[in-house]
């Protein structure tokens, strides 16, 4: 026993571990030193769960890479050897990251629970201002929000294997269109404020730029929306005027105007005459609105709105400290070509059956780049799914009943206030009352009395705001009345009902007369069994990480672990209002402080902002930080942004939105940036150079040896360097943007830091920067971020705050060594696949030693001429194996970019490689004339069960080859629900809402 204790002391085990060892029976066989520590530590370590390959696999994979390589400076025997020959030595970090060591899953959850407990989530917030609580139906909570089959799929670019969530998004679009009365909706935006900013930009783009550059915003629009509009307007030269819509003199320079309906004070206004006056001047009316209110209020289209925007948060999403919530934008049919974001549309497949797909603007940033209408990439698809399902579950009658209940309680509160001598703002209202008081002192007293009762009201200076929602009870109404009265009230709410009745209807002309949601899906799924089965039927149509890897390059579809996901539905995080008093959100303060520290350390920068709620929003925020810094230095003239031709499409789109003039830098044949061209263009634009955007590793999947020289050239000519963090999964713990000399970067938490993609969002795009840029990070008009001078880029101070625990858990469970190991294994997996496949498909770009980074581009361009096969044919054929295809035709046309991530096992990588090798043989059969050039498994892919089971089979290959191209497919067959979809037909016959039963 003394020998064992001595061994434990030598390896510095904890006193608890030593005590455990001493208590062991003397008859127990002694362990070795290493195994003793292993046995005594927590057994739920996360690293081995997160990483796919086992240690023996890693050794074998390195051996395979070594055997297939001919340009290595040394033989590869270990993972460290692979990293040495892949990552340039001069950019490697000299020491480990200064973040905490790994915690086990249970330890991390316990620590996070303690942090969460510091949020006073039991406070009932009636602050409103665009944020409301709701009852998330448990059938949706459990089977969608908490279900990896819904939160792990990617954006539905591959429509044939995305029909389930495409239908869910079409439901959402139908809800938005029916309630607003406008015909063409997007399938979600980031939040209400950014949707409003997109509508402002859309209004500006609809007129000739330069002649109409004034945009009006009513003073009673939610203040956070006004602030975000101002942020977005300044760089593109739009002058924002805030005032009273009733007093606006409409000039010829006005491109548009925004009003809120109901407004931030709760008043419901009639904008019909205002809309008419705007239209006569060629200006656009944008209406911010509320979906629940629209179930009882007339539709914005009825009074002349051209565009409606808002948040679907109260349709089944937790308030979550500000998000995520599905923003929406909907417009008239004639304006559809100017819309931002994505639209789901109906089309038909190769057999003529109806099928859904993304229409019109899909991936437009990659095509139009700086001329794109928006930089939107990730949105809030999962939340739009939930909002649509909320409407499906409740149906039109259920939604109306919820709205009437909310309105009735608001009316009873107004009656009660009048009875105790407190007047409310006159006018028609739905769920919000604005209550002027004699002074700020009186208002503060009411606020404090309410807090003592566990209630938050809206502080409006010398007035109080009260907003009710689905969760409001009559006990809440009584408590609020007592807060105003300063004690017990001399009546009960039952007496108020007896005396005044229950007001459930809004008075004309504001009341809604038109019906909505008459489509069958909204009227047959109101029992939980039917709803559950509907959700499951949709789930079965899609491919997510629950079936196979999703090898999309530039997307990082890694494990979204259950331990990371569990905390987002804890009420301590989910029930907190974003504008709750700071003393009630100390848990969030601690969480965000720790996460900001860790992300700043990982990126090698001084400070971090968690506000941007998507990667593209992070790009924009980073560029604005640079612009704000330059303006503060008196260098407003610096407006040139250098962007490599290889850049992600959102880079030029974001740069244009930030007001920069874009100069494209060429790349060499090996994919690296042309340093000569860069130097010449940097020098030629030295007087006006603001920045350069660069992705590292490059979008071509290699570590550029000259990255420090690139940064040096830009700095020498007066510019700053923005490093796109899309490929950060190949940097963490190995190198960093800050150590290379960059000035600012964004991160995709939904890539590198394990947030799920949710079928197209939500995501988060924090930015990190140097100390000199830190004061210019995005601020917010609340106490949370008052020390930052940049304008806000999202509606709430911390963007989609409730999903930040996911990345906190990821970092804490892996620790400094684990996050580095994750990057190393990501590099290993990519190089292993490249090694296995390069005899069958050439790899377009490699580094000087023949290695790739964490992703690689597979060349299939030659097959178009030899076999009539293109990248999309291979991607569609992979569906017959159950796989989602790699990224198609980006960044190189007609190629496939593969990123396997560190979470995939060797067995899964081998299955994908085997599938691609089978497909390569099928291509060779076409080349050799063995298979028909037109009628073959690739050109006809994917194959549905209906097609294979049909009595009619006229193809020149067998049913077996079509459906079961590999033996292992038989044991886990995924059947695509539709054949290949006709995209052109769908765009030419755009239908983006569900048809009514009578259509």
């Amino acid at each position: 026993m003394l020998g064992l204790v001595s061994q434990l002391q030598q390896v510095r085990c904890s006193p608890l571990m030593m005590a455990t060892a001493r208590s062991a029976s003397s008859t127990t066989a002694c362990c070795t030193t290493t195994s003793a520590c292993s046995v005594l530590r927590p057994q739920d370590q996360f690293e081995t769960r997160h990483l796919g390959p086992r240690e023996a696999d890693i050794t074998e994979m390195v051996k395979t890479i070594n055997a297939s390589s001919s340009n290595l400076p040394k033989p590869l025997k270990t993972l460290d050897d692979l990293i040495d020959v892949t990552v340039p030595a001069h950019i490697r970090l000299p020491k480990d990251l200064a973040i905490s060591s790994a915690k086990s899953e249970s330890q991390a959850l316990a620590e996070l629970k303690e942090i969460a407990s510091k949020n006073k989530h039991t406070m009932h917030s009636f602050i409103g201002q665009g944020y409301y609580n709701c009852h998330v139906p448990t059938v949706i909570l459990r089977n969608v929000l908490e279900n990896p089959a819904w939160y792990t799929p990617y954006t539905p670019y591959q429509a044939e294997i995305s029909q389930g969530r495409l239908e869910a998004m079409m439901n959402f679009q139908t809800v938005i269109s029916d309630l607003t009365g406008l015909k063409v909706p997007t399938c979600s935006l980031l939040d209400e404020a950014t949707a409003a900013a997109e509508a402002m930009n859309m209004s500006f783009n609809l007129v000739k730029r330069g002649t109409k550059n004034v945009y009006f915003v009513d003073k009673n629009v939610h203040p956070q929306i006004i602030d975000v509009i101002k942020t977005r307007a300044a760089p593109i030269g739009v002058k924002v005027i805030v005032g009273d819509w009733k007093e606006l003199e409409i000039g010829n320079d006005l491109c548009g105007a925004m009003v809120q309906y109901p407004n931030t004070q709760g008043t419901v206004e009639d904008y019909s005459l205002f809309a008419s006056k705007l239209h006569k001047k060629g200006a656009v009316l944008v209406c911010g609105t509320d979906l629940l209110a629209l179930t009882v209020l007339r539709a914005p289209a009825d009074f002349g709105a051209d565009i409606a925007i808002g948040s679907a948060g109260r349709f089944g999403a937790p308030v979550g400290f500000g998000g995520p919530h599905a923003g929406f934008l909907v417009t008239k049919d004639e304006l559809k070509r100017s819309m931002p974001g994505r639209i789901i549309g109906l089309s038909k497949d190769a057999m003529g059956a109806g099928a859904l797909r993304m229409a019109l603007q899909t991936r437009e940033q990659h095509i139009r780049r700086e001329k794109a209408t928006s930089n939107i990439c990730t949105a809030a698809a999962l939340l739009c799914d939930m909002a649509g399902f909320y409407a499906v579950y409740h149906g039109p009658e259920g939604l109306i009943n919820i709205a009437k209940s909310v309105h009735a309680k608001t009316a009873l509160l107004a009656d009660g206030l009048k009875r105790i001598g407190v007047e409310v703002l006159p006018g028609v209202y739905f769920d919000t009352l604005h209550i002027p008081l004699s002074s700020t002192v009186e208002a503060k007293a009411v606020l404090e009395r309410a807090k003592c009762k566990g209630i938050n009201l809206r502080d409006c200076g010398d007035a109080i705001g009260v907003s009710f929602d689905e969760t409001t009870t009559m006990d809440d109404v009584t408590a609020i009345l007592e807060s105003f009265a300063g004690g017990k009230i001399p009546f009960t709410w039952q007496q108020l009902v007896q005396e005044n009745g229950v007001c459930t209807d809004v008075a004309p002309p504001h009341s809604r007369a038109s019906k909505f949601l008459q489509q069958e899906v909204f009227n047959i799924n109101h029992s939980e069994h039917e709803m559950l089965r509907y959700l499951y039927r949709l789930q079965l149509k899609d491919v997510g990480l629950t079936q196979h890897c999703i090898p999309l390059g530039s997307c990082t579809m890694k494990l979204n672990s259950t331990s990371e996901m569990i905390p987002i539905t804890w009420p301590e995080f989910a029930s907190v209002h974003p504008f709750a008093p700071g003393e009630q959100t100390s848990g969030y303060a601690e969480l965000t402080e720790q996460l900001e520290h860790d992300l700043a350390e990982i990126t090698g920068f001084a400070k971090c902002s968690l506000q941007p709620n998507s990667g593209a929003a992070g790009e924009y925020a980073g560029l604005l930080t640079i612009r704000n810094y330059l303006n503060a230095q008196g260098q407003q003239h610096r407006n040139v942004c250098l962007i490599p031709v290889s850049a992600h499409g959102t880079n030029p789109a974001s740069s244009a939105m930030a007001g920069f003039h874009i100069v494209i830098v060429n790349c060499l044949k090996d994919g690296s940036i042309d340093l000569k061209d860069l130097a010449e263009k940097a020098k030629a634009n030295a007087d006006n150079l603001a920045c350069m955007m660069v992705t590292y590793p490059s979008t071509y999947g290699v570590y550029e040896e000259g990255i420090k020289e690139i940064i040096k050239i830009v700095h020498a000519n007066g510019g700053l360097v923005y490093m796109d963090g899309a490929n950060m999964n190949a940097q963490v713990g190995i190198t960093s943007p800050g150590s290379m000399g960059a000035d600012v970067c964004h991160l995709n938490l939904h890539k590198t830091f394990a947030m799920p993609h949710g079928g197209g969002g939500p995501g988060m795009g924090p930015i990190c920067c140097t100390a000199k840029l830190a004061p210019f990070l995005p601020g917010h008009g609340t106490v949370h971020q008052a020390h930052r001078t940049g304008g806000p880029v999202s509606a709430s101070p911390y963007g989609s705050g409730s999903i930040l625990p996911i990345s906190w858990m990821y970092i804490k469970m892996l620790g400094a060594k684990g996050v580095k190991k994750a990057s190393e294994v990501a590099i290993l997996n990519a190089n292993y696949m490249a090694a296995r496949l390069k005899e069958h498909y050439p790899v377009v770009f490699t580094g000087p030693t023949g290695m790739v980074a964490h992703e690689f581009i597979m060349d299939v361009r030659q097959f178009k001429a030899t076999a009539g096969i293109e990248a999309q044919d291979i991607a569609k054929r992979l569906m017959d194996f159950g796989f989602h295809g790699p990224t198609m035709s980006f960044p190189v046309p007609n190629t496939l970019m593969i990123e396997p991530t560190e979470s995939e096992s060797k067995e899964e990588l081998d299955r994908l490689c085997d599938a691609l090798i089978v497909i390569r043989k099928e291509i060779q059969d076409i080349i050799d004339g063995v298979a028909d050039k037109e009628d073959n498994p690739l050109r006809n892919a994917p194959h549905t069960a209906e097609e294979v089971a049909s009595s009619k089979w006229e193809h020149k290959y067998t049913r077996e080859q079509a459906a079961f191209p590999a033996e292992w497919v038989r044991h886990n067959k995924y059947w695509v629900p539709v054949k290949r979809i006709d995209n052109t037909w769908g765009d030419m016959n755009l239908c983006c809402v569900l048809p009514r039963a009578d259509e």
Side-chain angles (χ1 to χ4, degrees):
M1 182 57 65
L2 289 175
L4 176 58
V5 172
S6 176
Q7 289 176 348
L8 291 170
Q9 289 173 334
Q10 288 175 14
V11 294
R12 300 180 180 178
C13 291
S14 70
L16 176 60
M17 294 169 67
M18 292 171 63
T20 305
R22 282 194 294 268
S23 67
S25 169
S26 59
T27 60
T28 302
C30 292
C31 300
T32 64
T33 301
T34 303
S35 63
C37 283
S38 176
V39 167
L40 295 175
R41 70 179 184 178
Q43 295 303 297
D44 57 338
Q45 297 298 316
F46 181 64
E47 182 180 309
T48 56
R49 303 302 188 188
H50 178 75
L51 301 179
R54 307 296 88 183
E55 288 302 322
D57 295 330
I58 291 174
T59 300
E60 185 178 344
M61 293 162 76
V62 171
K63 185 178 179 180
T64 299
I65 297 167
N66 182 72
S68 70
S69 303
S70 59
N71 195 31
L72 295 172
K74 64 177 182 179
L76 305 183
K77 297 181 179 179
T78 66
L79 182 57
D80 287 341
D81 291 338
L82 174 64
I83 301 305
D84 286 343
V85 301
T86 303
V87 184
H90 67 280
I91 67 167
R92 299 278 296 276
L93 295 177
K95 58 182 180 180
D96 288 342
L97 295 169
I99 60 176
S100 60
S101 56
K103 294 175 170 59
S104 71
E105 294 187 52
S106 56
Q107 288 171 334
L109 283 168
E111 183 176 333
L112 187 57
K113 193 70 171 179
E114 183 178 351
I115 292 172
S117 69
K118 298 174 184 177
N119 291 326
K120 295 184 179 179
H121 70 283
T122 57
M123 296 288 292
H124 292 189
S125 287
F126 300 95
I127 297 169
Q129 204 171 321
Y131 293 96
Y132 304 88
N133 266 310
C134 68
H135 292 306
V136 183
T138 50
V139 66
I140 298 173
L141 178 72
R142 182 66 175 270
N143 297 290
V144 180
L145 182 58
E146 297 178 343
N147 183 350
W150 282 97
Y151 64 68
T152 65
Y154 190 62
T155 306
Y157 292 133
Q158 294 289 336
E160 292 84 357
I161 55 175
S162 309
Q163 291 296 297
R165 61 190 183 281
L166 284 169
E167 181 173 332
M169 292 177 189
M170 183 71 107
N171 291 343
F172 173 79
Q173 290 181 176
T174 303
V175 171
I176 302 305
S177 178
D178 272 21
L179 289 176
T180 62
L182 294 163
K183 298 300 182 183
V184 186
T186 60
C187 68
S188 80
L189 295 176
L190 297 173
D191 61 23
E192 185 174 20
T194 53
E198 294 289 350
M200 176 274 298
N201 191 56
M202 185 176 164
S203 302
F204 185 44
N205 288 332
L206 285 168
V207 300
K208 188 176 180 181
R209 288 192 175 213
T211 60
K212 288 178 174 286
N213 66 339
V214 175
Y215 190 76
F216 173 81
V217 183
D218 183 61
K219 65 181 182 180
N220 284 322
V221 168
H222 293 317
Q224 72 272 18
I225 295 178
I226 296 175
D227 289 344
V228 172
I229 288 174
K230 288 179 177 178
T231 298
R232 290 279 293 271
I236 59 174
V238 174
K239 180 181 178 182
V240 176
I241 297 175
V242 179
D244 188 336
W245 68 273
K246 296 175 183 176
E247 300 174 359
L248 176 66
E249 294 183 9
I250 303 173
N252 293 325
D253 56 355
L254 189 73
C255 65
M258 181 179 174
V259 294
Q260 194 98 29
Y261 175 76
N263 69 26
T264 196
Q265 294 185 340
T267 307
V268 178
E269 302 275 14
D270 184 355
Y271 298 112
S272 301
L273 184 58
F274 185 53
S276 179
K277 290 179 179 179
L278 286 170
H279 294 157
K280 287 178 181 179
K281 288 287 188 176
V284 173
L285 177 61
V286 178
C287 178
T289 192
D290 176 273
L291 295 181
L292 190 64
L294 292 183
T295 64
V296 294
L297 297 179
R298 66 171 172 164
D302 292 347
F303 56 71
D306 302 288
I307 303 169
I309 65 93
S311 167
R314 69 194 304 176
F315 269 35
V319 69
F321 204 49
H325 301 138
F328 66 83
L329 184 150
V330 58
T331 190
K332 301 185 296 187
D333 184 72
E334 54 264 38
L335 305 183
K336 63 191 176 189
R337 293 285 174 177
S338 300
M339 291 179 71
R342 300 188 176 103
I343 302 171
I344 306 307
L346 179 66
S347 188
K348 61 180 182 178
D349 73 0
M351 301 296 288
L356 299 168
R357 28 76 75 185
M358 293 198 295
L360 298 182
Q361 288 93 338
T362 298
R363 301 191 75 185
E364 66 146 1
Q365 304 94 340
H366 305 289
I367 300 168
R368 300 187 66 207
R369 298 174 74 82
E370 67 270 17
K371 295 180 181 179
T373 57
S374 171
N375 71 341
I376 290 174
C377 190
T378 295
L382 184 64
L383 284 306
C384 107
D385 295 342
M386 292 176 64
F389 290 143
Y390 182 88
V392 167
Y393 195 41
H394 287 295
E397 289 186 14
L399 294 174
I400 290 171
N401 289 337
I402 293 170
K404 287 186 173 183
S405 175
V406 170
H407 180 60
K409 290 166 188 171
T410 309
L412 279 174
L413 176 64
D415 291 341
L417 288 169
K418 291 175 184 176
R419 186 157 175 176
I420 61 175
V422 177
E423 293 297 320
V424 301
L425 190 72
V428 178
Y429 54 81
F430 167 62
D431 63 4
T432 296
L433 300 177
H434 185 79
I435 305 150
L437 297 171
S438 61
S439 67
T440 56
V441 174
E442 183 184 4
K444 293 293 184 187
V446 174
L447 291 170
E448 288 304 314
R449 289 196 294 268
K451 283 183 186 178
C452 292
K453 293 179 177 292
I455 287 173
N456 289 322
L457 303 177
R458 183 175 173 186
D459 184 353
C460 301
D462 59 356
I464 298 289
V466 183
S467 294
F468 283 172
D469 57 43
E470 181 186 3
T471 68
T472 303
T473 67
M474 291 312 302
D475 287 342
D476 295 325
V477 175
T478 300
I480 291 171
L481 288 171
E482 290 176 348
S483 299
F484 278 91
K488 290 290 183 181
I489 52 175
F491 54 87
T492 65
W493 66 264
Q494 290 91 341
Q495 290 172 326
L496 281 177
V497 171
Q498 290 174 353
E499 294 174 10
N500 302 318
V502 178
C503 177
T504 61
D505 297 320
V506 178
H510 305 291
S511 56
R512 187 180 191 105
S514 58
K515 292 183 178 181
F516 59 92
L517 302 186
Q518 298 302 295
Q519 296 84 353
E520 184 181 56
V521 70
F522 298 106
N523 292 280
I524 62 171
N525 295 297
H526 301 160
S527 74
E528 183 167 338
H529 248 156
E530 289 305 312
M531 188 66 193
L532 178 65
R533 290 163 183 163
Y534 175 62
L535 294 174
Y536 191 67
R537 285 197 301 274
L538 295 189
Q539 174 186 318
L540 290 176
K541 296 180 179 182
D542 288 9
V543 168
L545 290 173
T546 50
Q547 287 111 315
H548 282 295
C549 71
I550 299 179
L552 285 158
S554 195
C555 298
T556 316
M557 300 295 291
K558 64 169 65 179
L559 171 72
N560 316 121
S561 84
T562 308
S563 289
E564 291 158 357
M565 295 299 295
I566 281 174
I568 68 170
T569 53
W570 289 349
E572 295 93 332
F573 288 130
S575 301
V576 181
H577 195 283
F579 304 138
E583 68 270 14
Q584 297 176 18
T585 61
S586 56
Y588 264 115
E590 186 173 342
L591 170 79
T592 54
E593 182 180 356
Q594 289 186 20
L595 186 55
E596 285 180 350
H597 167 272
D598 287 351
L599 294 178
E601 170 65 17
I602 286 168
T603 56
F605 285 124
K607 293 292 180 181
C608 173
S609 168
L610 297 171
Q611 191 179 127
N613 46 11
S614 78
E619 290 179 17
Y620 179 73
L623 291 167
L624 281 190
T625 300
I626 290 173
R627 175 173 281 284
N628 292 335
Y629 167 78
L630 292 173
N631 289 348
Q633 308 307 308
Q635 299 184 52
Q636 294 90 338
H637 61 282
R638 291 191 174 273
N639 68 342
V640 171
C641 179
L642 302 175
I643 299 180
V645 69
S646 61
H648 193 278
T650 55
N651 283 184
S654 297
S655 184
M657 287 172 56
F660 289 111
H661 172 69
I662 298 159
V663 174
I664 300 298
V665 178
N666 295 328
C667 288
L668 301 174
K669 289 183 178 181
D670 66 358
S672 60
I673 292 172
D674 186 336
L675 293 179
K676 183 175 181 292
D677 187 56
L678 171 63
E680 289 173 354
K681 288 174 177 173
K683 184 177 180 180
N685 292 280
D687 291 343
N688 297 308
L689 183 59
C691 61
M692 179 177 183
M693 300 186 79
V694 60
T695 302
Y696 200 79
S698 77
T699 313
Y700 291 149
V702 294
Y703 290 94
E704 293 195 42
E705 294 280 341
I707 184 63
K708 286 193 172 182
E709 181 63 21
I710 291 167
I711 294 170
K712 182 179 177 182
I713 290 170
V714 176
H715 285 166
N717 287 278
L720 300 175
V721 175
Y722 173 97
M723 186 169 283
D724 188 310
N727 291 343
M728 195 70 194
N729 208 47
Q731 283 197 49
V732 180
I734 298 173
T735 185
S736 71
S739 69
M740 286 182 266
D743 301 284
V744 61
C745 78
H746 90 270
L747 301 168
N748 294 81
L749 297 189
H750 50 288
K751 293 184 180 182
T752 309
F753 297 95
M755 280 185 183
H757 282 73
M764 286 287 282
I767 54 173
C768 302
C769 66
T770 59
K772 71 178 182 181
L773 296 183
F776 306 98
L777 287 169
H780 203 276
T782 70
V783 297
H784 297 291
Q785 295 177 331
H787 60 287
R788 291 177 174 174
T789 61
V793 294
S794 68
S796 67
Y798 290 96
S800 299
S802 67
I803 57 176
L804 292 174
I806 300 170
S807 295
W808 185 95
M809 285 288 294
Y810 174 83
I811 294 170
K812 298 302 180 185
M813 290 192 296
L814 284 176
K817 295 185 183 300
V819 293
K820 180 181 180 182
K821 183 72 171 289
S823 295
E824 292 172 339
V825 174
I827 295 166
L828 168 73
N829 282 1
N831 279 283
Y832 174 71
M833 283 196 68
R836 278 210 61 195
L837 292 171
K838 67 183 182 181
E839 289 184 10
H840 309 278
Y841 304 90
V843 175
V844 181
F845 301 111
T846 63
T849 61
M851 297 295 110
V852 299
H854 64 310
E855 61 188 359
F856 63 97
I857 300 173
M858 196 171 76
D859 201 349
V860 300
R861 291 172 291 187
Q862 65 275 22
F863 301 136
K864 184 175 182 179
T866 59
I869 297 299
E870 300 186 55
Q872 71 164 343
D873 298 311
I874 297 172
K876 303 304 182 188
R877 181 58 170 153
L878 278 170
M879 295 175 187
D880 289 325
F881 293 81
F883 282 111
H884 192 297
T887 299
M888 293 191 301
S889 295
F890 174 82
V892 180
N894 202 23
T895 62
L896 295 169
M897 181 160 62
I898 294 176
E899 181 185 357
T901 86
E902 71 275 11
S903 300
E904 299 302 337
S905 66
K906 179 178 179 297
E907 291 79 9
E908 180 71 353
L909 300 183
D910 284 335
R911 276 189 290 269
L912 178 56
C913 288
D914 291 344
L916 286 165
I917 291 168
V918 169
I919 291 172
R920 179 62 182 87
K921 184 181 183 304
E922 291 179 340
I923 295 172
Q924 192 61 44
D925 286 345
I926 299 170
I927 295 170
D928 295 341
V930 176
D932 189 88
K933 199 167 185 177
E934 297 299 326
D935 185 16
N936 58 70
L938 282 97
R939 291 292 295 274
N940 294 328
H943 298 84
T944 64
E946 180 181 3
E947 178 186 15
V948 173
S950 171
S951 59
K952 184 179 180 181
W953 183 264
E954 298 178 345
H955 296 305
K956 297 178 181 179
Y957 52 94
T958 67
R959 300 171 193 263
E960 182 179 34
Q961 185 180 0
F964 303 107
E967 181 62 29
W968 52 266
V969 176
R970 297 177 183 274
H971 307 296
N972 186 28
K973 176 63 180 175
Y974 162 79
W975 289 102
V976 291
V978 295
K979 289 285 291 176
R980 194 176 304 195
I981 297 173
D982 187 335
N983 292 321
T984 303
W985 191 93
D987 280 350
M988 294 177 66
N989 301 273
L990 182 65
C991 175
C992 52
V993 297
L994 296 172
R996 295 190 302 272
D998 59 347
E999 291 181 322

